[in-house]
């Protein structure tokens, strides 16, 4: 099918019209230049002066997790433990085998008190209830859920923590519950993927770096199989660069021995780097810091792997020509990983090893990332909430060199994303936050303005930089003849509008592989 698009304002281009066929841009030019060929087109879309951008690339999120999240009990609107209890009570009426919820944040409660086992037992002791905090790194369970997960007061776990009395699980301890809840079948996994993709398309996203393998339980194979089938059927509406996370070194070894490595796949679903989660989050006080948390002197957070295991994962990946990208939020974890990268990363970083998040950083660490040319996957959307807690958690000195997005963007290969479902994948909100570094939900809260991106840089962080991270910049990320026809149509000139209004812009249409996948 030949489609013509006319009367467009194309970002970074003098062209105003283009033709699309077989999933690619076949001609890009002025309306006059395209005119003669429109007669042969099956369809001509008049964009009426709207703004066209390359399809946005969200360089790190969890597509299956996003679909799963949107299908489960939503707790982000809760302002108290009682709110949570009310919602759980209501959900129980649906008579599901488990009540699984996510999204509460005790920082939004007047009491600042997090929900505990007793609060959930008060609602039900018969139906298992497991609720995950907004950041995905802490979970609270009722007695029944702990019982089904086989957790007792004696259970001990590496890389996580269990507070049995309160029913609170951190990091790897949550896997015990993930293993216990009902295993989704292929249809359910596909439903989650479709739900996640639909949400991405609404925001103009057509490519994602997505970490999915251990979202629902510990076995990566069912999710790999569903993605592979959907790619073959061309039913994916975002291109997926899989950031492969595993439950164990044995699983990773098996995956490699089965012949998978970076770049296996096609332009719909491709195996990307190995993803490792090396510490927790700032919100939950589980990110591993080099100093105690200012607002909780009893903890410095902790790392989720032993240094030996981390080392083995990263070396194994490199041996099979696969990059390792490591979730590191605290500066202590950044130190640990830099120390390993020092011996593994080749000059110029040809495999694209890197960091996901790299939030709390010291100046010399930033210099080391630049020297090694590491890839950095940051999330400017996190500024919205973290600007209100950063200084109170880590103090002014460490805060000043943290969330150093401009330093990273200008010095390394850094790209932007949402980490959805931690944040919804709202690209325009992410661009505004990168440009202003001022919270939208806590208007008094802001971060070091020296690290603001220009609007152009922020747009690039969601386009060219993402495609470079996925190593597909020779065919994606531009409205250009021969490139794959992925683009977003907006009602706003993001580069030149008032920065405080960027997030109010609207996505009018999203096109992936030449086909309209979202229309407002
Ligand atoms: Zn993530």
């Amino acid at each position: 099918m030949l489609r013509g698009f006319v009367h467009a304002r194309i970002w970074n281009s003098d062209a105003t019209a283009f033709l699309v066929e077989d999933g690619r841009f076949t001609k890009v030019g002025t309306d006059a230049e395209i005119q003669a060929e429109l007669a042969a087109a099956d369809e001509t879309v008049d964009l009426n002066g709207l703004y066209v951008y390359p399809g946005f690339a969200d360089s790190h999120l969890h597509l299956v997790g996003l679909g799963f999240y949107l299908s489960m009990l939503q707790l982000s609107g809760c302002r108290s433990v009682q709110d949570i209890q009310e919602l759980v009570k209501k959900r129980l009426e649906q008579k599901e085998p488990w009540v699984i919820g996510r999204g509460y944040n005790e920082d939004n409660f007047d009491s600042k008190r997090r929900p505990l086992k007793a609060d959930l037992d008060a609602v039900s002791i018969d139906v298992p209830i497991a609720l995950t905090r907004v950041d995905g790194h802490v979970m609270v369970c009722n007695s029944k859920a702990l019982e089904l997960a086989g957790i007792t007061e004696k259970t001990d776990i590496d890389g996580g923590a269990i507070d049995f009395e309160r029913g609170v699980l951190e990091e790897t301890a949550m896997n015990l519950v993930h293993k216990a809840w009902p295993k989704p079948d292929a249809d359910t996994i596909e439903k989650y993927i479709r739900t996640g993709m639909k949400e991405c398309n609404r925001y103009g996203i057509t490519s994602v770096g997505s970490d999915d393998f251990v979202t629902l339980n510990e076995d990566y194979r069912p999710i790999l199989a569903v993605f592979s089938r959907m790619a073959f059927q061309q039913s994916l509406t975002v291109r997926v660069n899989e950031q492969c996370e595993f439950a164990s070194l044995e699983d990773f070894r098996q995956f490699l021995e089965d012949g998978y490595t970076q770049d296996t796949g096609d332009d719909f679903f491709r195996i990307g780097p190995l993803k490792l989660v090396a510490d927790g989050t700032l919100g939950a006080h589980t990110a591993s810091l080099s100093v105690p948390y200012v607002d909780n002197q009893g903890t410095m957070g902790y790392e989720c792997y032993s240094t030996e295991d981390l080392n083995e994962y990263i070396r194994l990946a490199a041996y099979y020509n696969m990059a390792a990208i490591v979730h590191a939020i605290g500066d202590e974890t950044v130190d640990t990983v830099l120390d390993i990268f020092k011996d593994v990363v080749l000059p110029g970083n040809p495999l694209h090893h890197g960091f996901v998040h790299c939030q709390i950083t010291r100046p010399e660490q930033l210099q080391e990332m630049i020297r090694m040319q590491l890839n950095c996957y940051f999330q400017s959307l996190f500024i919205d909430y973290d600007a209100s807690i950063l200084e109170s958690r880590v103090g002014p000195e460490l805060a000043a060199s943290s969330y150093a997005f401009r330093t990273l963007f200008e010095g390394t290969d850094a790209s932007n994303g949402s980490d959805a479902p931690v944040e919804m994948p709202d690209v325009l909100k992410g661009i505004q936050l990168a440009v202003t570094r001022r919270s939208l939900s806590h208007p008094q809260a802001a971060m070091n303005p020296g690290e603001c991106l220009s609007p152009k840089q922020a747009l690039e962080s969601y386009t060219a930089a993402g495609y470079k991270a996925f190593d597909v910049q020779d065919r994606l990320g531009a409205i250009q003849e021969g490139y794959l026809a992925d683009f977003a149509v907006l009602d706003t000139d993001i580069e030149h509008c008032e920065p405080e209004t960027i997030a109010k812009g609207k996505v009018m249409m999203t096109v992936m592989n030449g086909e309209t996948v979202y229309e407002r």
Side-chain angles (χ1 to χ4, degrees):
M1 179 154 119
L2 179 66
R3 304 180 81 191
F5 293 84
V6 299
H7 301 138
R9 295 183 218 204
I10 302 173
W11 182 52
N12 265 344
S13 168
D14 294 327
T16 55
F18 48 87
L19 297 172
V20 168
E21 193 169 28
D22 293 333
R24 288 182 188 266
F25 295 107
T26 52
K27 185 163 184 178
V28 180
T30 62
D31 285 285
E33 284 164 346
I34 300 280
Q35 187 61 37
E37 280 150 275
L38 287 178
D42 298 286
E43 182 193 15
T44 298
V45 180
D46 189 341
L47 292 174
N48 271 317
L50 290 170
Y51 300 86
V52 174
Y53 297 83
F56 296 125
D58 186 314
S59 70
H60 174 71
L61 52 62
H62 306 259
L63 201 55
V64 175
L66 176 60
F68 183 38
Y69 171 74
L70 292 171
S71 313
M72 69 168 78
L73 179 60
Q74 308 286 311
L75 302 172
S76 57
C78 292
R79 292 292 172 269
S80 66
V81 172
Q82 289 77 5
D83 284 356
I84 293 175
Q85 288 173 313
E86 285 306 314
L87 288 179
V88 170
K89 219 175 278 172
K90 232 169 135 204
R91 186 79 174 202
L92 281 168
E93 292 166 11
Q94 295 187 17
K95 306 249 179 272
E96 295 161 321
W98 279 64
V99 173
I100 300 171
R102 179 164 170 171
Y104 73 87
N105 183 349
E106 67 275 18
D107 287 333
N108 295 331
F109 303 171
D110 284 338
S111 67
K112 306 286 173 204
R113 181 174 85 73
R114 60 185 177 178
L116 302 173
K117 179 168 75 176
D119 301 312
L120 304 184
D121 279 347
V123 184
S124 177
I125 50 167
D126 303 318
V127 179
I129 305 168
L131 310 178
T132 307
R133 195 178 182 277
V134 60
D135 56 22
H137 290 251
V138 177
M139 177 188 278
V140 59
C141 295
N142 71 344
S143 298
K144 190 71 186 176
L146 292 173
E147 181 197 321
L148 293 178
I151 297 171
T152 67
E153 48 273 79
K154 297 203 184 72
T155 310
D156 202 18
I157 190 121
D158 285 336
I162 298 170
D163 182 340
F164 181 77
E165 261 326 292
R166 296 176 181 191
V168 176
L169 312 178
E170 294 176 0
E171 307 301 338
T172 54
M174 301 190 301
N175 294 341
L176 300 170
V177 178
H178 296 167
K179 264 193 269 189
W181 69 35
K183 281 204 187 356
D185 57 13
D187 287 347
T188 308
I189 294 171
E190 180 166 338
K191 190 188 87 188
Y192 293 154
I193 293 172
R194 285 183 191 278
T195 304
M197 292 192 304
K198 211 168 154 194
E199 189 70 5
C200 289
N201 292 151
R202 278 197 329 120
Y203 295 110
I205 294 167
T206 53
S207 278
V208 296
S210 188
D211 169 357
D212 303 290
F213 283 172
V214 295
T215 304
L216 303 173
N217 55 57
E218 298 213 317
D219 189 0
Y220 66 90
R221 292 168 193 86
I223 287 178
L224 176 60
V226 173
F227 268 124
S228 302
R229 190 187 70 218
M230 292 179 78
F232 180 72
Q233 294 169 341
Q234 301 206 357
S235 62
L236 294 170
T237 64
V238 296
R239 302 180 194 279
V240 178
N241 188 275
E242 185 63 33
Q243 296 169 344
C244 307
E245 194 181 331
F246 297 92
S248 66
L249 260 164
E250 290 67 52
D251 272 5
F252 182 37
R253 250 186 229 113
Q254 187 63 54
F255 177 83
L256 294 166
E257 280 165 16
D258 286 346
Y260 291 101
T261 185
Q262 194 157 299
D263 271 350
T264 311
D266 58 24
D267 282 330
F268 292 103
F269 178 75
R270 149 175 291 102
I271 298 298
L274 168 71
K275 161 82 190 302
L276 298 162
V277 178
D279 70 349
T281 70
L282 202 61
H285 293 93
T286 53
S288 179
L289 298 182
S290 60
V291 292
Y293 279 84
V294 171
D295 57 352
N296 185 348
Q297 293 285 322
T299 184
M300 297 168 73
Y302 52 84
E303 294 182 8
C304 302
Y305 293 104
S306 68
T307 305
E308 294 75 57
D309 278 359
L310 204 54
N311 200 17
E312 195 165 344
Y313 266 115
I314 293 173
R315 283 173 189 277
L316 191 60
Y319 182 79
Y320 280 87
N321 286 325
M322 210 169 163
I325 61 171
V326 187
H327 162 124
I329 290 183
D331 66 322
E332 181 71 15
T333 311
V334 172
D335 274 338
T336 304
V337 178
L338 279 175
D339 213 42
I340 298 172
F341 276 162
K342 218 173 50 210
D343 298 328
V344 173
V345 175
L346 298 171
N349 189 20
L351 279 181
H352 306 307
H353 292 288
F355 282 104
V356 182
H357 309 310
C358 35
Q359 281 162 227
I360 307 304
T361 47
R362 306 188 308 269
E364 75 274 15
Q365 294 179 320
L366 296 169
Q367 288 318 308
E368 193 61 4
M369 290 180 197
I370 292 169
R371 187 189 67 75
M372 281 195 242
Q373 282 298 294
L374 296 178
N375 275 59
C376 294
Y377 298 76
F378 63 75
Q379 292 77 28
S380 55
L381 281 161
F382 285 0
I383 292 171
D384 196 40
Y385 164 59
D386 292 357
S388 68
I389 60 162
L390 175 61
E391 273 207 30
S392 67
R393 292 277 199 278
V394 306
E397 195 191 326
L398 206 42
S401 60
S402 294
Y403 297 71
F405 300 152
R406 183 168 167 201
T407 301
L408 292 172
F409 189 78
E410 293 180 351
T412 71
D413 279 330
S415 53
N416 209 340
S418 62
D419 202 17
V422 177
E423 292 286 339
M424 283 301 111
D426 185 340
V427 173
L428 298 186
K429 185 176 169 189
I431 291 176
Q432 174 166 333
L433 285 161
V435 171
T436 65
R437 290 173 71 87
R438 179 165 289 283
S439 171
L440 295 160
S441 54
H442 305 81
Q444 298 313 313
M447 284 186 185
N448 178 6
E451 292 288 347
C452 290
L453 297 190
S454 72
K456 186 166 194 284
Q457 288 176 321
L459 271 161
E460 285 168 354
S461 75
Y462 272 110
T463 53
Y467 292 109
K468 192 167 182 212
F470 306 153
D471 216 2
V472 293
Q473 69 274 28
D474 61 338
R475 53 196 184 279
L476 275 165
I479 315 295
Q480 197 174 310
E481 276 168 34
Y483 269 52
L484 291 165
D486 294 5
F487 58 94
V489 180
L490 273 56
D491 70 344
T492 306
D493 179 351
I494 299 300
E495 194 179 334
H496 301 105
C497 71
E498 196 51 51
E500 304 285 346
T501 66
I502 293 173
K504 295 201 183 93
K506 291 186 180 65
V507 176
M508 307 305 289
M509 185 195 292
T510 306
V511 175
M512 187 271 211
N513 213 50
E515 288 179 30
T516 303
V517 292
Y518 169 75
E519 211 167 352
R520 198 180 174 82

